[in-house]
Amino acid sequence: MQKIVIEPISRIEGEGKVTIFVGANNEVIKARFQMLEFRAFEEFVKGRMIWEMPLITSKICGICPVPHQLAAVKAAEAALGVKEIPPTALLLRKLILAGGAIQDHALHFLYLAFPDFIFGAETPPEKRSVTGLLEKHPDLAKKAIFLRKSGVRMVEMIGGNSIYPVTAVPGGMTKSLAQDDVREIEKIYRQGLAMAEECAELAWKVVTSQVKDRFPQNTPTTKFLSLVSKDNELAHYDGQLRITDEKGNPLETFPASDYTTFIEEDVERDSWAKFPFLRRLGRHDGVYRVGPLARLNTINWIRTEKAGAWLEKFKTLGGGQPVHEIIYYHLARCIELLYEYEMSLKLLKDETVTGQETRIPVARREGEGVGIVEAPRGTLIHHYWCGQRGEVTRSNMIVPTTHNNAALNQAVTSAAKQFVNDGELDEAGRQQIEMAVRTYDPCLSCATHSWDADRRLKIEILRVDE
Ligand code: MG
Ligand code: NI
């Protein structure tokens, strides 16, 4: 058996590797994207108080602390029987979630993924990065930094901390937003909005021009899952879950609290990450995807002017059906970036946003609750059980990268079949496989914080001789 290994993968959040299995006739049998670290949060939160969960679980990841905090606080509120939080708190939560998404989408598209579109395999890997971008396109690199910073500023204002927010508690938020803060962030966001428009244009240009010749073909067609509003509008903080099939037909719509009825998790031997699938359809037909591409495929509307127009344009790519090609994740991400700015600027105009009543009292009780938000990478599920004192007795979390695990493995396999020749992988092919992984923007940091001196994607080819 021969194997090609790419380890660790670079320019993604966290650490994983790709292993390619090659048979006796040099044919690629399969390829696997493996997440290498063991994630223990579900176990070690047992015994902690449920109101501590937003603080504890936001530390799962330095990239996605905001969505973890909000999924956690929603799950805790559901368990403790909180039906409604003050309108100001709701606005603040939507704004901080959008701020987190802005910094995250800008980071992924411009810092991590975009360099592959302008630097080919002839460029040394260390220059296929934001440092290469700074040298070659300093104006664009500065915009990337501005966009990211604008989202971080919002997280800092509402969350009380630039990376790990501390203000979401069961019953509301511990801090209100000052008038001065609103004026400051509006100014920053208006600039950000203009840059995000450029970003969407840029994404359209690079993905539509490179989709044919410079990208893994035959990417999987799957079902899609995301939160949607009651009339199928884009929704990130609340809504119901909607699943559509390969052709865009609705399969299921259900409240977040029913997710276990529809989603089952499978385990495979060579990865610490699970493989969720749609229970009714089974492990093979039930593969689905989440994230920006999934969201734009499951919804019918975006009711902001610019992102709404972009959604129409995006939908033409599928010719009446969902858009399946993985490269379009990047375009979908940039359309959402635009949406986050437009939607936030709208919410900031509501004077309730600076209201002083941000929290209601909450009593301890025995309970069970599910909290779901759309994180930048997709649907994030937290599910807790607590006893009478409020102590957590059990928990389950499904992070976006886990939902995408099966589809990600399919994409890596088709890329390997296309780019491994005579059992060998050249630098150009290696870059293509890395690009296939990066479309999903996998976040392994949600599981790992380890470090390796060689931060490159490791591709391993295994030769199978029997
Ligand atoms: Mg789990
Ligand atoms: Ni993460």
Side-chain angles (χ1 to χ4, degrees):
M1 183 160 72
Q2 190 208 322
K3 59 179 185 176
I4 303 175
V5 179
I6 313 181
E7 184 187 8
I9 186 167
S10 59
R11 280 184 283 134
I12 58 166
E13 316 301 347
E15 186 174 333
K17 72 173 180 177
V18 169
T19 304
I20 302 166
F21 297 80
V22 179
N25 302 317
N26 283 334
E27 79 285 12
V28 169
I29 295 167
K30 64 171 181 175
R32 302 281 285 153
F33 177 68
Q34 291 156 305
M35 307 182 204
L36 300 175
E37 304 296 319
F38 178 56
R39 147 196 200 81
F41 270 79
E42 287 173 350
E43 280 309 302
F44 74 66
V45 296
K46 284 181 189 166
R48 300 303 295 245
M49 293 294 129
I50 196 162
W51 46 89
E52 294 181 302
M53 294 301 274
L55 276 182
I56 294 173
T57 61
S58 61
K59 306 300 189 298
I60 287 174
C61 174
I63 300 293
C64 349
V66 177
H68 276 298
Q69 178 153 94
L70 295 183
V73 82
K74 285 179 71 179
E77 283 168 351
L80 297 170
V82 177
K83 295 266 181 295
E84 223 176 310
I85 57 168
T88 299
L90 184 63
L91 280 180
L92 294 178
R93 287 187 187 176
K94 287 182 175 179
L95 283 167
I96 194 173
L97 187 60
I102 285 172
Q103 72 86 12
D104 202 322
H105 279 348
L107 170 72
H108 184 263
F109 180 64
L110 290 167
Y111 286 56
L112 305 181
F114 186 69
D116 284 319
F117 291 102
I118 48 168
F119 302 117
E122 69 289 348
T123 306
E126 65 273 18
K127 292 287 175 194
R128 280 180 243 150
S129 65
V130 74
T131 51
L133 197 65
L134 267 166
E135 284 169 20
K136 275 254 162 118
H137 304 279
D139 284 351
L140 186 61
K142 281 179 201 156
K143 283 175 185 165
I145 293 165
F146 183 93
L147 288 170
R148 179 142 199 252
K149 214 171 132 187
S150 72
V152 171
R153 184 73 187 108
M154 181 67 102
V155 173
E156 197 176 27
M157 279 176 180
I158 296 175
N161 195 350
S162 60
I163 298 178
Y164 300 107
V166 295
T167 52
V169 291
M173 302 290 280
T174 57
K175 180 178 168 293
S176 58
L177 191 60
Q179 284 287 356
D180 286 351
D181 286 346
V182 173
R183 275 188 290 271
E184 181 196 328
I185 200 74
E186 276 182 332
K187 197 172 155 220
I188 296 170
Y189 268 26
R190 277 194 291 269
Q191 282 174 274
L193 177 63
M195 290 179 202
E197 279 191 87
E198 284 179 50
C199 224
E201 293 289 349
L202 186 66
W204 175 270
K205 212 172 92 187
V206 294
V207 301
T208 53
S209 66
Q210 300 196 15
V211 67
K212 290 272 175 326
D213 55 325
R214 264 199 88 221
F215 218 72
Q217 303 295 302
N218 307 316
T219 55
T221 57
T222 62
K223 278 82 182 169
F224 295 102
L225 165 78
S226 84
L227 278 181
V228 296
S229 77
K230 278 213 171 66
D231 65 343
N232 295 327
E233 194 185 353
L234 188 62
H236 289 162
Y237 180 76
D238 46 22
Q240 49 194 352
L241 287 169
R242 183 175 205 236
I243 299 169
T244 55
D245 72 8
E246 289 83 349
K247 296 201 183 315
N249 303 311
L251 273 183
E252 319 271 9
T253 305
F254 51 96
S257 53
D258 286 355
Y259 81 96
T260 52
T261 311
F262 298 91
I263 296 168
E264 192 171 333
E265 293 179 89
D266 199 12
V267 179
E268 289 189 17
R269 279 190 314 169
D270 60 354
S271 180
W272 288 114
K274 289 181 181 175
F275 289 82
F277 60 93
L278 302 175
R279 192 184 289 278
R280 181 157 73 80
L281 298 172
R283 177 76 167 79
H284 183 263
D285 291 335
V287 172
Y288 62 92
R289 284 183 280 176
V290 300
L293 187 79
R295 288 190 285 254
L296 297 202
N297 278 326
T298 53
I299 59 164
N300 297 340
W301 327 98
I302 293 179
R303 289 206 180 86
T304 62
E305 186 202 332
K306 296 174 201 300
W310 268 104
L311 178 68
E312 296 300 311
K313 202 168 165 181
F314 173 86
K315 296 258 186 208
T316 62
L317 293 167
Q321 296 207 355
V323 180
H324 286 280
E325 286 290 337
I326 54 176
I327 193 171
Y328 291 122
Y329 260 102
H330 295 305
L331 177 62
R333 200 165 279 131
C334 292
I335 295 172
E336 281 198 330
L337 181 65
L338 198 50
Y339 166 77
E340 306 295 358
Y341 281 113
E342 288 188 295
M343 188 264 294
S344 300
L345 282 165
K346 225 160 139 180
L347 297 185
L348 286 164
K349 290 249 171 301
D350 186 336
E351 58 188 32
T352 315
V353 81
T354 50
Q356 295 302 302
E357 196 204 329
T358 60
R359 192 176 175 184
I360 54 160
V362 178
R364 64 183 78 197
R365 70 165 207 192
E366 188 178 345
E368 176 190 346
V370 177
I372 300 191
V373 296
E374 284 293 328
R377 291 166 187 77
T379 314
L380 173 65
I381 303 174
H382 282 222
H383 188 180
Y384 310 142
W385 291 255
C386 70
Q388 281 173 359
R389 289 182 296 117
E391 76 284 11
V392 174
T393 52
R394 194 178 148 200
S395 86
N396 186 36
M397 296 162 206
I398 308 182
V399 302
T401 300
T402 310
H403 293 290
N404 282 335
N405 203 6
L408 186 44
N409 275 285
Q410 285 178 12
V412 167
T413 298
S414 49
K417 284 185 174 162
Q418 193 183 345
F419 295 106
V420 172
N421 289 313
D422 300 327
E424 303 288 333
L425 183 62
D426 65 11
E427 190 58 36
R430 180 193 167 101
Q431 187 184 18
Q432 294 289 337
I433 293 171
E434 295 186 10
M435 284 173 78
V437 172
R438 282 186 202 114
T439 56
Y440 285 95
D441 186 14
C443 187
L444 316 183
S445 324
C446 273
T448 168
H449 298 274
S450 68
W451 175 257
D452 193 300
D454 171 21
R455 300 297 293 176
R456 294 210 58 201
L457 177 70
K458 185 163 161 190
I459 297 187
E460 201 174 7
I461 295 190
L462 295 180
R463 186 171 298 281
V464 186
D465 286 325
E466 65 269 21

